[in-house]
Amino acid sequence: MRLLDKVCIITGSANGIGLASARKFSSEGAVSIVCDRDKELAENAAVSIRAEGGRAYSYFVDVTDRQTVEAMVYDVQTRLHRIDTLVNNAGITKDARLINMTEEDWDAVINVNLKGAFHCTQVVAKHMLARGTGSIINTSSITGVYGNFGQGNYAATKAGVIGLTKTWARELGSKGIRVNAVVPGSIATHILDTVPPEQLDKIKNGCWLKRIGQPEEVANVYAFLASDEASYVNGATIEVSGGVSL
Ligand SMILES: NC(=O)c1ccc[n+]([C@@H]2O[C@H](COP(=O)([O-])OP(=O)(O)OC[C@H]3O[C@@H](n4cnc5c(N)ncnc54)[C@H](O)[C@@H]3O)[C@@H](O)[C@H]2O)c1
């Protein structure tokens, strides 16, 4: 068990990649902290992980609301006395071309994907610094590296997440905290619900593995980065896209 007794906070883990990760982390011996703004789904996730024999707790967290982040971290510290991993996984899209993008949609995506990661990392890093150890994993996207039609707000946040990763890896590395980014391609979750079928076919054809990825395939990489096997991996951006950019 690669994550035995590690306490791992995963934001946006009521669904999709985050949920697959909470399952994976618990199966590797971790205590998964399932955080989501969907309270009921988060609780269902924790209940199902416990039913499978894993350890998990659910928390209502809206990553844009610092108080909910602080309350969760305080409770986890009080209950479990350690935080080993933070996965800044919560993310949203609100797509529109430049000409049609509303200020509300711009702000909403920046607030969740970028400011949310800042809130969670700043609050958790204080506890990791006190212990002198930790792994922080940020979720970017290939859209953040290559851009994507109609996703200016999302691309800006996902590029920003890479900048944050490299900056925090420099600031925190000497204190025992590793910071890395995972860069998923197209993964079969609700986030693809709004993508038309013909566009999904194009995505599959553009990927050298000729398929969409599964949430578990990203969760496996998160688990590696959270584990001591990744002890010399810091400031890295690991693409999990089936080689779509080749
Ligand atoms: N699925 C893909 O194709 C893909 C590709 C590249 C990157 N990503 C990134 O992976 C991450 C996970 O995406 P997913 O596909 O699993 O999405 P998803 O929509 O299936 O799950 C996202 C979860 O985040 C939660 N969430 C949203 N806003 C939140 C907030 N303010 N506070 C707390 N929780 C919040 C949602 O309730 C949901 O449970 C995101 O950062 C996304 O940008 C996904």
Side-chain angles (χ1 to χ4, degrees):
M1 287 202 167
R2 290 184 301 170
L3 303 177
L4 190 61
D5 294 333
K6 286 188 191 288
V7 174
C8 302
I9 296 171
I10 306 153
T11 67
S13 45
N15 263 308
I17 295 168
L19 175 57
S21 306
R23 286 220 155 84
K24 172 71 179 170
F25 281 34
S26 294
S27 76
E28 292 276 3
V31 183
S32 290
I33 307 300
V34 179
C35 299
D36 208 283
R37 68 177 173 186
D38 189 326
K39 193 177 171 186
E40 202 181 319
L41 268 189
E43 178 54 14
N44 291 346
V47 167
S48 79
I49 290 170
R50 290 198 294 268
E52 290 158 12
R55 286 180 293 170
Y57 298 100
S58 77
Y59 287 87
F60 166 76
V61 171
D62 178 344
V63 296
T64 67
D65 178 350
R66 194 175 180 103
Q67 281 185 350
T68 67
V69 176
E70 282 172 345
M72 175 272 294
V73 169
Y74 178 81
D75 200 71
V76 169
Q77 266 294 126
T78 308
R79 199 190 278 216
L80 300 164
H81 314 294
R82 58 189 282 176
I83 298 169
D84 297 279
T85 301
L86 166 67
V87 188
N88 285 311
N89 171 79
I92 60 167
T93 55
K94 286 190 184 287
D95 298 349
R97 280 184 282 169
L98 169 67
I99 298 303
N100 301 325
M101 176 86 57
T102 64
E103 193 173 342
E104 287 76 19
D105 286 352
W106 174 267
D107 286 344
V109 172
I110 301 285
N111 275 336
V112 176
N113 298 5
L114 204 52
K115 197 170 178 187
F118 162 68
H119 282 319
C120 294
T121 305
Q122 196 176 51
V123 175
V124 167
K126 286 178 187 160
H127 295 275
M128 289 181 170
L129 284 167
R131 288 183 67 227
T133 182
S135 169
I136 294 166
I137 300 160
N138 293 324
T139 309
S140 178
S141 164
I142 51 161
T143 295
V145 182
Y146 305 104
N148 197 20
F149 192 94
Q151 288 200 304
N153 50 0
Y154 186 72
T157 62
K158 295 302 184 178
V161 155
I162 293 175
L164 289 176
T165 300
K166 293 183 178 180
T167 300
W168 293 339
R170 289 170 188 259
E171 291 180 5
L172 302 174
S174 64
K175 320 280 186 220
I177 301 166
R178 296 180 294 103
V179 188
N180 293 288
V182 173
V183 185
S186 294
I187 309 296
T189 71
H190 287 310
I191 220 167
L192 295 188
D193 284 352
T194 54
V195 178
E198 60 275 14
Q199 182 67 23
L200 280 180
D201 284 342
K202 264 194 196 163
I203 291 171
K204 281 183 207 165
N205 282 329
C207 165
W208 287 99
L209 297 183
K210 300 295 172 197
R211 64 178 177 83
I212 301 287
Q214 293 304 309
E216 292 74 15
E217 295 178 292
V218 180
N220 290 340
V221 179
Y222 286 168
F224 164 68
L225 289 171
S227 79
D228 296 339
E229 288 176 0
S231 52
Y232 204 56
V233 184
N234 186 39
T237 54
I238 302 183
E239 200 174 299
V240 186
S241 71
V244 75
S245 59
L246 298 174

